[in-house]
Amino acid sequence: MKNDLTNLEWLVLADYLDKGDRVFDFWKKDKSLAKNKSLLKSAQRKFFDVAKEIRKGD
């Protein structure tokens, strides 16, 4: 099983899990919406890839 999320991906994923869709408003105010949405998309892809590997039995 490979867990290759970057530190930034972990942070945006944690923010999203903590705040839900409201996080997009925070990122918009912070002027980091585009960057963080991209990081979130990448983090989610990697997260679900790991979950898929776990389901297969690693």
Side-chain angles (χ1 to χ4, degrees):
M1 172 177 29
K2 185 175 181 183
N3 176 4
D4 60 351
L5 270 71
T6 66
N7 290 344
L8 289 175
E9 288 170 335
W10 274 113
L11 291 174
V12 297
L13 184 58
D15 285 346
Y16 180 72
L17 292 172
D18 184 42
K19 297 176 179 73
D21 287 339
R22 295 175 303 149
V23 77
F24 297 114
D25 294 330
F26 292 112
W27 292 342
K28 191 173 183 180
K29 289 178 188 174
D30 195 25
K31 299 189 185 333
S32 62
L33 180 62
K35 178 184 173 190
N36 286 346
K37 276 178 71 174
S38 176
L39 285 167
L40 179 61
K41 189 176 219 177
S42 175
Q44 288 174 317
R45 181 181 41 77
K46 292 176 182 179
F47 176 88
F48 287 115
D49 286 347
V50 170
K52 186 189 298 182
E53 287 181 34
I54 291 170
R55 286 186 183 110
K56 282 196 241 179
D58 212 359

